[in-house]
Amino acid sequence: MTTLLFDQFLSTDAMAEAFDGPRLIQAMLDFEAALAKAEADEGLIPPSAAEVIARACDVSLYDPNELARASRSAGSLAIPLVKALTARTAELDAEAARHVHKGGTSQDVIDTGNALLTKQALNLIDASLTSLIDRLLGIAEQHADTPILARTLMQPATVTTLGFKMLGWIAPLQRSRAALTELADLALALQLGGAVGTLSALGDKGPAVSRRMAQELGLALPDGCWHTQRDTWMRLGAEVGILTGTLGKIATDLSLMAQGEIGELAEPSGAGRGGSSAMPHKRNPVSSMVALAAFYRAPGRVATMLSTMAQEHERGLGNWQAELAEWPHLFMGAHGALQALNDAFQGLIVDPARMRANIDSLLGLVFAEAAGAVLAKAIGRAAAHHELESLSREAAASGTHLLTLTLARVQASDALRGQVDEAALRLAFEPSEAARHATHVTRERLQRLRAA
Amino acid sequence: MTTLLFDQFLSTDAMAEAFDGPRLIQAMLDFEAALAKAEADEGLIPPSAAEVIARACDVSLYDPNELARASRSAGSLAIPLVKALTARTAELDAEAARHVHKGGTSQDVIDTGNALLTKQALNLIDASLTSLIDRLLGIAEQHADTPILARTLMQPATVTTLGFKMLGWIAPLQRSRAALTELADLALALQLGGAVGTLSALGDKGPAVSRRMAQELGLALPDGCWHTQRDTWMRLGAEVGILTGTLGKIATDLSLMAQGEIGELAEPSGAGRGGSSAMPHKRNPVSSMVALAAFYRAPGRVATMLSTMAQEHERGLGNWQAELAEWPHLFMGAHGALQALNDAFQGLIVDPARMRANIDSLLGLVFAEAAGAVLAKAIGRAAAHHELESLSREAAASGTHLLTLTLARVQASDALRGQVDEAALRLAFEPSEAARHATHVTRERLQRLRAA
Amino acid sequence: MTTLLFDQFLSTDAMAEAFDGPRLIQAMLDFEAALAKAEADEGLIPPSAAEVIARACDVSLYDPNELARASRSAGSLAIPLVKALTARTAELDAEAARHVHKGGTSQDVIDTGNALLTKQALNLIDASLTSLIDRLLGIAEQHADTPILARTLMQPATVTTLGFKMLGWIAPLQRSRAALTELADLALALQLGGAVGTLSALGDKGPAVSRRMAQELGLALPDGCWHTQRDTWMRLGAEVGILTGTLGKIATDLSLMAQGEIGELAEPSGAGRGGSSAMPHKRNPVSSMVALAAFYRAPGRVATMLSTMAQEHERGLGNWQAELAEWPHLFMGAHGALQALNDAFQGLIVDPARMRANIDSLLGLVFAEAAGAVLAKAIGRAAAHHELESLSREAAASGTHLLTLTLARVQASDALRGQVDEAALRLAFEPSEAARHATHVTRERLQRLRAA
Amino acid sequence: MTTLLFDQFLSTDAMAEAFDGPRLIQAMLDFEAALAKAEADEGLIPPSAAEVIARACDVSLYDPNELARASRSAGSLAIPLVKALTARTAELDAEAARHVHKGGTSQDVIDTGNALLTKQALNLIDASLTSLIDRLLGIAEQHADTPILARTLMQPATVTTLGFKMLGWIAPLQRSRAALTELADLALALQLGGAVGTLSALGDKGPAVSRRMAQELGLALPDGCWHTQRDTWMRLGAEVGILTGTLGKIATDLSLMAQGEIGELAEPSGAGRGGSSAMPHKRNPVSSMVALAAFYRAPGRVATMLSTMAQEHERGLGNWQAELAEWPHLFMGAHGALQALNDAFQGLIVDPARMRANIDSLLGLVFAEAAGAVLAKAIGRAAAHHELESLSREAAASGTHLLTLTLARVQASDALRGQVDEAALRLAFEPSEAARHATHVTRERLQRLRAA
């Protein structure tokens, strides 16, 4: 038994437990119990045998570590487990032991077990996602009209509102939530194909046994086994990767806005949170850090899983096993990121004064486009754009506010003097005016997002 | 202008053209023409200006190479294009030039242009996918009952049918086709957010302009701009990756079955196809090769795109640009693979006699499970499994057929003699009997797949 | 504490232990003890303090699980550890506790700790690699002249020897071994930069303290700290990825040659090895499976690590942490693969008769190039190639041996009759003759590889 | 012929040309000419034939587009090329045509051609890398003592110098340059193995022919062919990936320091550089953008190449072809990034006043560690750390400078009053004092780097 502390560090206890060895073993035993029960209900094995098998399907009767070790030479975790289950069942009732695992194959046990664990994992994801969306909506509603610099290509652009900015965080989360739900309905499916996918060992009872098992286990009933057809499973995995991408986008924005020199947002601080072993003043954005770590790790994992899709014939060699091992890490990362961002936004510190100060410090440069629109009425878009480019350069070089320079230029230019609405020009440099349109859009879209 | 021959080698002319430089420029100009038209219809610019702009929106008036070169220092392909378009429009009508690109930003032009190209790309994919599915269905229907070895972990397992095996190729292709259609409806969307996504330069006309443009261009109207919210776009890209994964699975199976020593399937041969510069007898599976190459290349590309999702603030620095550059390669690979497999299956050589011979050469070992089921009626599953494991080892070691050894063992064993149905035991070693169940399932599922 | 069984399944106990939580904590404590000792030796802290600190640097005094949990809000595993170490030291001697961790920063502790663990990990890799090379050399020497089909593009090509084929497995392993040794000498380096890399807290004693610590810990002394300069570390990681690629190549060849229909090589079988829960006759190549799983997983991991290289300023946010978490998995996979292939080759079953039979069953087609060379003397390379292409097609279609057809063609052709050396033609179809050259090369190169 | 504008946008004309189709064809023809010449020199073919073949080895005689198209069904670019070369040679001299490509195989031609192109590509890389290192050294030497904020986890940490910071950019570039040179010596190697790697068609003349060819082409002579042993090649590719990682790190730092709100560095601006189509004031860091785009794209590409390493038997199916197609993109990205950063640093704008202002604006918080060290002399490290943490919180909350608060605290505290050296405390808050140590280290290491 090994614990990799950095994996643990970047995930949550709840998700780590969801994929913990004993949980997996129990889920595999749940498959075996459900198989026996369904077969008994269909008259394939004696009901009493199913009952005895069910009693032996309790993880506390087995040693996960020993099973893991034995799985290496066996080539599959299911083989030593079925052997141990058969032995345990035989101790209770030798006759019942003859009916253990009838018609199933290793991959049936493992894939179904994994689907059961993933179902729990998705419940954890959904709860954290719902709560994160809720938190973000609350802050966005409160700051629908708070002016803030928009930034493009890592440079100040023009003014937007914090609420509008957050729309761009919330909407993708809602889409991921919907997508996960839809994809889970298909992907969390029973695996039951028998040795080579035809389920021939159950004869014409195969479909009925499958139907019963799917219902018993709370899983979807797929149209045929999916031993080496992993596309539905991949869609779910890719969506977790996409969700992690969105979380990475949020964490990136947050960490950029939390830079000491910008200071518009800050993660909550508190005893033991985000300190430094060397620098007493540090308030490190540790939630962003955890979310970003998940963001860095997800693409390679999704790539690995896609690279395992060419599973040979009726059961893959090495690729299926690689997929199994990568799978939980994807969920562990995503949940670590979700939990971290929930922590960050729960106590988020928002500094509207600093947002305003950051706008002000840019000498009106971010209003150049708006000012250009006012001038364009007199001299056309291209000429106005050109004019403002030159005035912006001058403002930056001289440290003079762009409004001052523009007003002077209007007076000095034959083409502009008298042609430009000076009040409109001054208004173009007002943050709240610049944010007026964004505020309106934000309120409208937030209502729709709340309703969703 | 550069041509990378190995990229070309692994794609199709049609798809390479779909993303060719001039096509992209034209699509970007289509955006500008539609923007002007919609703005004219909403009274934001004079109708005559829109008409003049539309006339200048013709790629033959521009030099893509020069634009590409200028884009490097500008930082975006749209900047030199808008400048050139403005100049060209001005040559026709100086007044009209003032209204070029009003309210739009570089990313609007490029993302929308890219969506227009991708729409064509998906049409190519869909046509090839439809034809491939159709070809596979035809072969599967013809061979619904052709016995063939199923193989697990790269070893002969038991008997299935060719038709059943092909179900596992067809169903994922149909799922990808449905998923692509569904995702394209969302992802092929207008991009129109203006400088920082609020579309503030168009005031309250923004929504109406957007609606008109989306309709004009045949694109979806998204709920807000998606400058740095790439999740919907990623879902589409990931699905192309998943489709390529399925194509890789098919190509893997095909190339394994086409090995000289197995010879169950062969790609069509013909003048210049699959030869070797050194070995005259070679019949290389070149279609599988092209499909596999696409399969190897897709995961890294999907990973790259996921890794670009943390696009900063209102426009990303480097990540968006990386995404743009990777995007066409994903479609070029997928279409190369689809076309190659269409070629392969159009003239596929199927050798049922060889399939039967491969079964026969395995000394009945692949019927061990079926034989075990017969013995299990007498001595239980576990003991029967154990018995057959030992007999299988003996068969392999001695070269004696497993049926012969099993019959002898039944006679020699007190527990088995008289308890085992010998006719059932012999039947267990019949390929067609082994395939009976698979045949039935295949016919049923093929009907459903045909109907879909 | 969580155990992911599929990670465990695909690695070894030894490697999993090498990166186990307590080991990491101890390595971090080793850093702190060495730091204190070096500082004492340089007169920066009292020698008695260093002694007390050293006594507290014992992992059994701490709870790794609790540290992992506290690390989440702290943002680093080092912060709670330094706090706990300070507390424990204070229990022994309050004065000594004032000197704990002087001048160091979290990343110093963690990177150095990780380098110490990696040193052990590389020892494990080297031992397994040495033993694998040795095993492969032994088999190759024994089969330097055993004829076997060479195969290109998954089709029989011409004849080579098993020994020659194995040269292509051994040489890259030797290169990786040399590369790992060379890269480890640079990468297994002390990390000591203090808060921002300048080590300013130690004043002009910094270099001397570093030198002492590197020597004490058995690590290299780098030219400056490498907090956000990860290239040397990445080179080592990439090489582990490349080694895993070579192991994947070997496992691929092995699993292809072990296919039931080809049967030239087989992994050893034995109690519990490579069985199936459903199919008693199965002998699954489980060692190849483990090696292939590692092969599938390594590229995504290397990609993830490369994607973390843009670590911001003086300490990265999220990227460094992601790198830390991925790192052990790369070694766990590689060692799992090495161990598995050692198992496979230790008891490898080689079947020269089957190799010969596989050659014979191909109707002489693989000798087409050699036969072409004989004909080329009469009619030139191009014409001979063309001739043999056509004869090969005929042989494949009719099932007649290519030698028979070629001899007939020589008689029937005016251009060939009397111009072709018939004895040479017959010799061209002899496997041992075809292998003669390969045998010679093999012997020569094996000697060089043995000597290396 | 297709041009993907975004690929072109992110690379350089020089590198795109280095891998352009006609260059590749010519390099393949260079192989054929060298092969014929070496064979003539060894008496295997008539010298006159070699001369005629050499005359036909001129790319202007062939249509790359047609060859690319024919390569699809042939399965290799070499097959139609050898066919066309044979035909062209035959037009000059029918007898000579019989000796074209003797003993070679498709992969020999292509891999060697690719090595020749890569040699040129590495020359381009080396020139740009050398110039970038030189530029960075110049700036670092000029600013060895310029105080600047060091930042960890995206938060201000303490003070360093710009020169010290740049050491962390330069040293990895120098290491990559050395590594590329060393790896190129091994990887830029002749490929000559014939049909299956044994070079048997050349009999005992194989080694001599190889030696002559390697010398003629200016390539290394490898110890055996490397058809499916790609490790040496991968090491070179991985190093280009690592170099791109370092460039990404530099671009990240640069773009963060160039943020409008930080403004310590700026890329040069100028006509058409880094503008915006919507915002006249924008000065986008377009060089950082190009370098970051390369950084995002490299990991996926390296992963793809590692994932192709399991090339089957004596020639891979699909994997080798995928590797060939990915290869040039890695170099195109790296060179685009290098060129962009050369542009950025050539006219880099450094603003030491802004660096100082950024330090000053942080209320002395970044000197907390240094202040802590002064207090530690009185009360020990842990208590001092705790004290400064609390004072830092107060400074941040109240907006009062940390020095003011610390002096007050010293007066108010019984433990501190009279125990603390007040002059030392004041000095701890001096940027130049804080940078003194870094300056010293910088000068020393810069000298070593200059000398290297």
Side-chain angles (χ1 to χ4, degrees), chain B residues 87-445:
Chain B
R88 188 63 45 136
T89 305
E91 286 169 24
L92 301 170
D93 176 352
E95 171 59 25
R98 297 165 54 170
H99 304 292
V100 167
H101 191 62
K102 181 186 166 65
T105 196
S106 292
Q107 189 167 4
D108 293 338
V109 192
I110 290 172
D111 276 343
T112 303
N114 218 8
L116 290 169
L117 297 193
T118 303
K119 194 173 181 180
Q120 294 311 310
L122 282 171
N123 286 344
L124 292 173
I125 297 267
D126 191 67
S128 295
L129 190 44
T130 306
S131 127
L132 179 59
I133 291 171
D134 196 58
R135 280 201 178 109
L136 292 173
L137 279 172
I139 302 170
E141 284 159 354
Q142 203 180 335
H143 292 284
D145 60 357
T146 305
I148 190 172
L149 276 176
R151 296 167 176 105
T152 58
L153 298 132
M154 295 287 279
Q155 287 295 321
T158 70
V159 169
T160 185
T161 69
L162 178 56
F164 188 87
K165 196 175 179 84
M166 293 182 72
L167 288 175
W169 299 349
I170 301 166
L173 292 178
Q174 282 206 344
R175 288 193 289 264
S176 270
R177 204 178 152 231
L180 285 172
T181 304
E182 196 184 323
L183 293 168
D185 282 349
L186 301 166
L188 299 179
L190 178 72
Q191 178 69 284
L192 188 66
V196 300
T198 59
L199 205 44
S200 62
L202 302 188
D204 56 11
K205 297 289 193 187
V209 168
S210 298
R211 213 174 307 116
R212 285 181 185 277
M213 281 188 74
Q215 189 165 4
E216 171 79 15
L217 294 169
L219 295 173
L221 182 66
D223 185 29
C225 92
W226 45 288
H227 286 161
T228 51
Q229 292 69 37
R230 314 300 288 182
D231 58 306
T232 307
W233 196 241
M234 286 301 122
R235 268 175 211 108
L236 180 59
E239 183 59 43
V240 178
I242 289 170
L243 166 62
T244 311
T246 294
L247 298 173
K249 192 272 188 279
I250 297 173
T252 295
D253 285 357
L254 174 54
S255 66
L256 287 170
M257 294 157 88
Q259 287 171 100
E261 300 86 348
I262 292 183
E264 296 170 345
L265 299 179
E267 293 194 8
S269 68
R273 193 174 206 280
S276 153
S277 74
M279 294 165 283
H281 69 284
K282 285 299 290 290
R283 284 294 156 265
N284 291 321
V286 295
S287 294
S288 300
M289 182 190 81
V290 170
L292 286 167
F295 167 70
Y296 283 110
R297 299 175 77 190
R301 238 169 261 300
V302 171
T304 297
M305 290 195 296
L306 290 174
S307 81
T308 66
M309 280 186 73
Q311 300 186 8
E312 300 91 353
H313 295 307
E314 280 68 42
R315 184 148 324 124
L317 185 74
N319 29 33
W320 173 54
Q321 295 78 9
E323 183 215 281
L324 289 172
E326 291 295 322
W327 190 256
H329 290 283
L330 198 56
F331 289 82
M332 285 173 68
H335 201 243
L338 278 167
Q339 193 52 53
L341 290 183
N342 265 295
D343 289 351
F345 285 104
Q346 185 167 23
L348 186 77
I349 297 159
V350 181
D351 190 341
R354 192 70 185 268
M355 294 175 189
R356 176 69 196 240
N358 285 336
I359 297 171
D360 290 345
S361 73
L362 291 167
L363 302 166
L365 288 172
V366 297
F367 302 112
E369 189 196 15
V374 178
L375 263 57
K377 287 182 187 149
I379 53 174
R381 274 194 70 260
H385 188 96
H386 184 77
E387 195 71 68
L388 264 301
E389 255 188 331
S390 143
L391 289 165
S392 294
R393 252 193 306 273
E394 195 183 335
S398 66
T400 316
H401 201 280
L402 182 62
L403 175 56
T404 314
L405 293 175
T406 310
L407 288 169
R409 175 75 188 133
V410 167
Q411 289 316 315
S413 153
D414 291 346
L416 293 166
R417 198 177 328 106
Q419 305 301 314
V420 172
D421 178 345
E422 224 180 272
L425 193 58
R426 286 177 190 280
L427 201 60
F429 284 86
E430 263 308 303
S432 59
E433 177 59 23
R436 203 170 46 86
H437 180 71
T439 300
H440 175 70
V441 175
T442 305
R443 293 227 162 93
E444 219 174 59
R445 287 192 60 204

Side-chain angles (χ1 to χ4, degrees), chain C residues 406-430:
Chain C
T406 309
L407 288 170
R409 174 75 189 132
V410 168
Q411 289 315 315
S413 154
D414 291 344
L416 293 167
R417 199 178 327 107
Q419 306 299 315
V420 172
D421 178 344
E422 225 181 273
L425 193 58
R426 284 178 193 280
L427 200 60
F429 284 86
E430 264 308 304

Side-chain angles (χ1 to χ4, degrees), chain C residues 305-328:
Chain C
M305 290 194 297
L306 291 175
S307 81
T308 65
M309 281 186 72
Q311 299 185 11
E312 299 91 356
H313 295 308
E314 280 67 43
R315 184 149 322 124
L317 185 75
N319 29 33
W320 172 53
Q321 295 78 9
E323 182 215 282
L324 289 173
E326 292 294 324
W327 189 257

Side-chain angles (χ1 to χ4, degrees), chain D residues 204-282:
Chain D
D204 54 11
K205 298 288 193 185
V209 168
S210 298
R211 213 174 307 117
R212 285 180 185 276
M213 283 187 74
Q215 188 166 3
E216 170 81 14
L217 295 168
L219 295 174
L221 181 67
D223 185 29
C225 92
W226 43 289
H227 286 161
T228 51
Q229 291 70 38
R230 314 300 287 184
D231 58 307
T232 307
W233 198 239
M234 286 301 122
R235 268 177 210 106
L236 180 59
E239 184 58 44
V240 178
I242 289 169
L243 167 63
T244 312
T246 294
L247 299 173
K249 192 271 187 279
I250 298 173
T252 295
D253 285 358
L254 175 53
S255 67
L256 287 169
M257 294 158 88
Q259 288 172 100
E261 299 87 347
I262 292 183
E264 297 171 342
L265 299 180
E267 294 193 8
S269 67
R273 193 175 206 279
S276 153
S277 74
M279 293 165 285
H281 68 286
K282 284 301 287 291

